[in-house]
Every structure is written in structure tokens, then in C-alpha cells.
Amino acid sequence: MTPAPAVVLLIEDDVSMRRFLRTALRAHAWRVIEAATAREGLAQAAGRNPDVILLDLGLPDGDGLDVAPRLRRSTRAPIIVISARGREQDKVAALDLGADDYLTKPFGVPELLARMRVALRHASRPADAPEAPVFEAGQVRVDLVRRRVYRAGDEIHLTPTEYRLLATMIRHAGRVATHRQLLEEVWGANYVGQTHYLRVYMAQLRHKLEPDPARPRLLATEPGVGYRLREG
Ligand code: CA
């Protein structure tokens, strides 16, 4: 018996974009449900139990920014925002309102599939489940039980704040973490405006962990939005 295909709900009013995504996703064994309006999307999300939701931010009957938190109330499925807009504040707002990740149009199919895989993996893990005890990417190895960090086999000393920031990035591995999310999780709710803290500590982490801190491979900047820890 083959397992039932995973179901993706595509909320997008653009017909050609829907056709492109439908074809690409079906070719990769996804079952695709479609909605062209916010209203339809909310109904489908509540009734069809999708595994992942792709949400366009510009919908004819409502802004995706209003839709994201409403979807979040009716489903636990990860929400990936797909948006043509260059307006970073919209992506940030959607992420802070409950979306899990975003892709800016135009994007490639491999990138979309990779984001969907990461989203599914995070969603399938209960919030209180322990993380893998060791994180590894490239030359960096983090022992999350002993709180030790190695680069190319050598132990690297991190300050407590640097370590907290790295461990938080590992919890978000593969997904974007917004400035607000990182500041709140590492420093606390009173610090969400202090983006310069992040810049300083991210620079320190890169200096200690990246072979070329000016061209980070592990701790990537998502301009205007936040940071993404790359797993591969
Ligand atoms: Ca649209």
C-alpha cells in the first residue's frame, strides 16, 4: 500500500501561477486543493485538513495578512507565504502573525519543495518534543545537550548570549526567523525593537563559525526580514 499523498492547499488568485504550481506539485506527488479567494481558502483549510498551505498575500477579497492569523486559528498546518511584493514589512507581518515561512515570486520549484519539506518536518514534531541532541551543518557541529560548539573539530567558545542565539536559530533551522522572533526568544519581549543587538551578535557568531564571515553560508541574512540557518 502506498501512503496517501500529502495535501497542499494553494490560496492564490492568479490563474497562471496556480496552473504552474499545480503542475509542479502534482509532478512531485502532492495532492493539490485550490482556492482563488481568502473566503474559499479559509473554508478549505477548515474542511479539508491540508498538510501545508501556500498563501498569496494579494487576494481579491482580503489581504493575506488578515488571512494568516485566521488560518492559524483553524489549522495547525504550516503556512508558507508566496508573494510577489517586494514589501518586506508585509512578509514580516505575515510571519509574526503565524505564517511559517515565505517565498518571493518568482521562485524555483526545487526551492519551493525544499521549503515545504522543512515546514512539514517542523510541523510533524510536537512543540514539546526534544530536539535532536546534535546539530550539524558543514563544518559546524553543535552538541545541544552539553552546549558545546565545534568548527572543523575544534571547540569554539561562545558567550551565553551567542549560544542562546545559535540554539534559537537551530530551533528554526531551514526556516526564516524574523528579527522580532529572535529578539523575543533570546533577549525577551521587551527587546523586540533592538535589532542592533541582533546585528552585533550575528556578526560575532559569523566571525566564530563562518569560514568567510562576509559571505555567510550558515547564518544567512534575509534582507529586511530576519535570518535563516541553512542546513545544507
Ligand atoms: Ca494575488
Side-chain angles (χ1 to χ4, degrees):
M1 219 175 86
T2 48
V7 176
V8 54
L9 169 58
L10 174 56
I11 309 176
E12 163 70 81
D13 60 321
D14 185 285
V15 177
S16 56
M17 189 67 188
R18 272 214 313 278
R19 189 186 311 125
F20 160 70
L21 289 172
R22 181 198 308 138
T23 307
L25 292 167
R26 280 186 183 158
H28 289 87
W30 283 84
R31 231 181 92 212
V32 183
I33 306 171
E34 296 172 38
T37 63
R39 216 168 70 111
E40 242 182 281
L42 287 162
Q44 299 268 37
R48 305 283 294 274
N49 200 23
D51 297 293
V52 179
I53 298 169
L54 299 181
L55 173 65
D56 176 32
L57 283 187
L59 293 166
D61 61 334
D63 201 292
L65 292 185
D66 304 321
V67 182
R70 289 167 71 195
L71 282 170
R72 197 27 85 237
R73 283 198 288 275
S74 70
T75 173
R76 288 175 49 105
I79 301 166
I80 300 174
V81 163
I82 47 174
S83 173
R85 302 180 198 179
R87 290 167 56 185
E88 263 56 44
Q89 72 253 37
D90 287 350
K91 297 170 193 160
V92 172
L95 292 164
D96 286 335
L97 287 169
D100 295 83
D101 207 341
Y102 73 87
L103 277 164
T104 303
K105 298 174 195 169
F107 49 79
V109 172
E111 196 184 359
L112 171 67
L113 294 169
R115 295 292 171 79
M116 289 171 73
R117 271 196 305 276
V118 170
L120 268 186
R121 200 184 64 220
H122 281 279
S124 65
R125 210 190 66 194
D128 55 355
E131 289 166 62
V134 173
F135 172 86
E136 269 186 286
Q139 296 201 315
V140 174
R141 183 168 184 274
V142 182
D143 182 331
L144 292 155
V145 177
R146 294 184 181 79
R147 301 175 143 250
R148 292 202 165 159
V149 181
Y150 303 86
R151 183 179 138 194
D154 296 327
E155 186 162 4
I156 303 290
H157 176 75
L158 299 186
T159 67
T161 304
E162 288 167 355
Y163 181 81
R164 250 195 334 271
L165 178 57
L166 180 60
T168 304
M169 291 297 293
I170 290 172
R171 267 203 306 285
H172 289 266
R175 295 181 301 175
V176 68
T178 65
H179 297 134
R180 166 182 279 269
Q181 286 168 342
L182 290 170
L183 286 161
E184 198 169 319
E185 288 174 40
V186 176
W187 282 273
N190 294 333
Y191 293 83
V192 294
Q194 311 293 326
T195 41
H196 61 282
Y197 283 21
L198 265 180
R199 271 199 303 278
V200 168
Y201 279 89
M202 200 57 80
Q204 288 170 199
L205 271 183
R206 282 170 173 163
H207 187 73
K208 291 183 178 181
L209 300 178
E210 301 270 4
D212 182 357
R215 287 181 198 74
R217 296 184 47 81
L218 181 69
L219 298 159
T221 298
E222 296 277 327
V225 178
Y227 298 91
R228 183 188 303 273
L229 187 149
R230 294 208 194 103
E231 298 170 292

